[in-house]
Amino acid sequence: MAILDILHFPDPRLRTEAKPIKQVTPKVQQLVDDMFETMYKAPGIGLAATQVNVHRQVIVIDTTEDKSNPLCFINPKITQLQGDTTYDEGCLSVPSIYETIHRAEKITVEALNREGETFTLEADGLLAICIQHEIDHLKGKLFVDYLSPLKRQRIAKRLDKQNRSKAA
Ligand code: NI
């Protein structure tokens, strides 16, 4: 397994739209395993392949504190959205920024698992929020896109500075 590098906003590669996985091969399973390792190490509760510069529709999530519910979604599609809720969201690609975002409260999602089998999951609470956040990544969308342009620009400037000082 390997720890993968996470792209940081405003990196334009985060805007790439991910392509579906045609077949869940050992290489895809390796990506899933590496993504779990990267997410747990960060630590985070969700990671999309887009964030590690792999533009395929793969996300991993574990919203538990003891790493007891690892979930992998390949080619995820939300088939139902219900209600609405807010949460102070963060993102491994937008470090140290937390903002209140509106999302659907309950969702139904269809995807393939790590074995390539189709499954359907109904989710609410933090898990539903996290799934919506990660699926956005696969579309090249970030939670800061829900904020005002001015606020987003300020965050971009701040992170750009951080990225530069890290690279230097
Ligand atoms: Ni994120």
Side-chain angles (χ1 to χ4, degrees):
M1 295 219 277
I3 303 289
L4 308 168
D5 286 333
I6 297 175
L7 302 177
H8 287 163
F9 176 71
D11 192 313
R13 290 172 290 182
L14 286 167
R15 299 308 187 177
T16 316
E17 209 172 310
K19 293 196 169 72
I21 294 279
K22 283 190 190 128
Q23 209 188 343
V24 181
T25 59
K27 208 181 148 194
V28 173
Q29 293 178 328
Q30 181 66 56
L31 170 66
V32 169
D33 296 345
D34 289 346
M35 283 173 61
F36 270 119
E37 202 186 1
T38 304
M39 176 187 81
Y40 284 133
K41 168 126 190 295
I45 59 171
L47 186 70
T50 311
Q51 294 176 273
V52 293
N53 202 27
V54 176
H55 302 288
R56 292 287 180 271
Q57 292 176 13
V58 178
I59 66 183
V60 297
I61 289 176
D62 190 343
T63 55
T64 65
E65 272 177 30
D66 58 356
K67 308 181 182 180
S68 59
N69 192 26
L71 295 169
C72 157
F73 303 79
I74 297 171
N75 302 343
K77 279 193 182 64
I78 291 176
T79 55
Q80 270 193 68
L81 294 160
Q82 261 185 292
D84 80 278
T85 187
T86 58
Y87 191 78
D88 284 347
E89 293 189 19
C91 178
L92 294 176
S93 292
V94 194
S96 71
I97 307 287
Y98 297 87
E99 296 287 347
T100 306
I101 305 296
H102 286 262
R103 302 270 186 195
E105 189 180 13
K106 275 177 87 172
I107 62 163
T108 305
V109 62
E110 260 178 43
L112 301 177
N113 64 17
R114 192 182 172 281
E115 274 62 57
E117 302 152 346
T118 307
F119 70 99
T120 303
L121 181 78
E122 281 180 36
D124 58 13
L126 181 57
L127 180 57
I129 290 162
C130 194
I131 293 168
Q132 292 171 79
H133 175 119
E134 300 310 329
I135 289 179
D136 272 357
H137 275 300
L138 300 180
K139 296 173 181 161
K141 190 164 183 177
L142 296 162
F143 81 95
V144 293
D145 297 350
Y146 296 101
L147 306 173
S148 73
L150 181 66
K151 214 166 191 182
R152 186 165 54 252
Q153 215 178 358
R154 276 197 200 132
I155 293 170
K157 264 191 196 155
R158 194 165 132 197
L159 292 187
D160 214 22
K161 230 185 240 174
Q162 275 179 26
N163 294 345
R164 266 169 231 262
S165 64
K166 242 176 244 167

